[in-house]
Amino acid sequence: MSKWLPLTIGWRFFRAKQSNSFIGFISFASTAGIALGVGVLILLLSTMNGFEKELQQRLLGVASHGELVGVNEPIADWKVIADSAQHLTQITGVAPFIRLQGLVQKPGGFQGLVVSGIDINHEADVSTINQYMSAAAWQSLQGNQNNIVLGRSLLDKLQLKVGDTVAMFTPDANNSQLTSAKSHRFVVSGVYNVGGEIESTQAFVPIEYLAEVLGLGTGVSGVRIQVANVLNAASVTRDLGFAQEQYLYINDWTRSQGHVYQDIQLVRLVMYLVLALVIAVACFNIVSTLVMAVRDKASEIAILMTMGISRGAIMTIFMLQGALNGIMGCTIGGILGVIFAYNLSAIAQGLEQLFGFQLLASDIYFIDFLPSELHSQDVVVVIIMGLVMSLLATIYPAWKATKIAPATALAGR
């Protein structure tokens, strides 16, 4: 017997119309289910990759990878820390900052605000905030002027525009009464638009002006660092902090923004499991299809056995039928998943314009669009998983086909 004979017969059985149309429908349903599960899983993983990429490039591009903040007193010479950071190869940038927290009045109440005094000569080494504001707004953050750059969402809440004056109230450190406050007035010199909560809570002013207002001289509140791999920020920041003689608070992005990263990973894991189960259920439909196909082809199986075909070849015939369903489903789902993943942002934007709604609000999420980042390894893993599941689903019904007694099957024909 030719070694290709089982494959040839399996292919003919797959192409032939079943005498029972219900078998064909179940076969179609299993193929469609596998295609749907594979396609949606590829699309989901691409979306989660997109969120993770935007988190690292956008949110963590603006927020600190790591911070060293003086305890009870400012850092007198931040360049000492910068020199120490040069011995850690994973640190790619260091910049000083002065931080002031207070309240600004808005219609109907007050809004908490964190004002960061930055040095634009070094800030670009640790942050991409300059990419989210105009060149004029960025240049206004140098010198000794009371300029302030606000987030777009905060500017709208305060009902201000560029050129207006905003008052910020901070606790009076020289007065023990909690009701006493100091007022600082700033001129809005620009707006940045990065999206998310940071727009409502973070503002930027020249570091020289804030140092003069707070009487820090050449001192700073702390030092921000940027690392090559954000996932190593905690350990790198800790190593740098432990190398200093001054007592310092050691902070990193996992404390302030870590929940966002954990949420992305949790959603990725949960949805991966859910859609993997969807693929598994679709593959189990192959079991139903093959069981009914075996019963429908019982007489043909008996004839083949009487002609000398082995039971292993019979098993190969029906395993091929089920595997072809899995191959078709994975191929169709993989192609559709890749196409939709590449065009997800444009599709989501088109749906928003067509139906007049917004999927992601910029004042809630750190982005206002649906991102997508397709990784080839995700496509390969999902397709292999679908193929393996579909192949495993064929084993039992194919094995049952080998247990058919030729005499009994032919007698009942």
Side-chain angles (χ1 to χ4, degrees), residues 54 56 59 68 74 79 82 95 105 113 138 145 155 162 167 219 225 231 245 277 289 322 335 372:
E54 293 299 326
Q56 294 187 14
L59 185 58
L68 300 178
K79 292 186 178 180
Q105 190 171 11
L113 183 64
W138 179 247
Q145 299 179 352
L155 193 74
V162 175
I225 68 170
L231 299 180
E245 296 182 358
L277 291 175
T289 302
I335 293 173
S372 180

Side-chain angles (χ1 to χ4, degrees), residues 76-87:
D77 189 358
W78 70 272
K79 292 186 178 180
V80 173
I81 299 178
D83 293 338
S84 179
Q86 294 180 356
H87 299 289

Side-chain angles (χ1 to χ4, degrees), residues 65-68 80-94 125-126 223-229 232-244 248 250:
H65 288 184
E67 288 183 354
L68 300 178
V80 173
I81 299 178
D83 293 338
S84 179
Q86 294 180 356
H87 299 289
L88 298 175
T89 56
Q90 295 191 58
I91 296 179
T92 59
V94 180
D125 296 334
V126 299
V223 173
R224 298 177 61 189
I225 68 170
Q226 186 181 56
V227 298
N229 187 347
N232 297 331
S235 59
V236 174
T237 306
R238 185 171 59 251
D239 292 341
L240 180 61
F242 287 168
Q244 310 308 313
L248 299 169
I250 301 175

Side-chain angles (χ1 to χ4, degrees), residues 194-357:
V194 71
E197 183 183 3
I198 192 172
E199 277 192 12
S200 300
T201 58
Q202 183 79 41
F204 300 94
V205 300
I207 192 171
E208 293 181 18
Y209 175 78
L210 204 55
E212 180 180 341
V213 169
L214 299 179
L216 298 181
T218 58
V220 297
S221 299
V223 173
R224 298 177 61 189
I225 68 170
Q226 186 181 56
V227 298
N229 187 347
V230 294
L231 299 180
N232 297 331
S235 59
V236 174
T237 306
R238 185 171 59 251
D239 292 341
L240 180 61
F242 287 168
Q244 310 308 313
E245 296 182 358
Q246 181 179 350
Y247 288 110
L248 299 169
Y249 291 117
I250 301 175
N251 300 318
D252 61 87
W253 70 271
T254 59
R255 296 175 180 268
S256 59
Q257 308 296 336
H259 63 284
V260 179
Y261 180 79
Q262 293 172 356
D263 289 345
I264 292 174
Q265 299 305 316
L266 179 61
V267 171
R268 182 202 298 269
L269 176 61
V270 171
M271 296 306 296
Y272 194 99
L273 293 176
V274 170
L275 291 174
L277 291 175
V278 170
I279 297 174
V281 170
C283 289
F284 281 125
N285 283 336
I286 295 176
V287 177
S288 302
T289 302
L290 290 183
V291 167
M292 289 185 287
V294 168
R295 294 185 62 182
D296 188 67
K297 297 292 185 181
S299 58
E300 285 85 347
I301 295 171
I303 293 172
L304 289 171
M305 285 183 175
T306 58
M307 294 176 64
I309 195 169
S310 66
R311 294 185 182 274
I314 294 295
M315 192 170 181
T316 302
I317 290 172
F318 287 96
M319 287 185 67
L320 177 62
Q321 288 191 70
L324 288 173
N325 281 334
I327 292 172
M328 288 182 60
C330 291
T331 301
I332 296 172
I335 293 173
L336 293 178
V338 169
I339 293 174
F340 277 98
Y342 269 123
N343 299 279
L344 179 61
S345 298
I347 293 173
Q349 185 177 5
L351 291 175
E352 289 178 347
Q353 295 176 354
L354 179 63
F355 295 103
F357 70 94

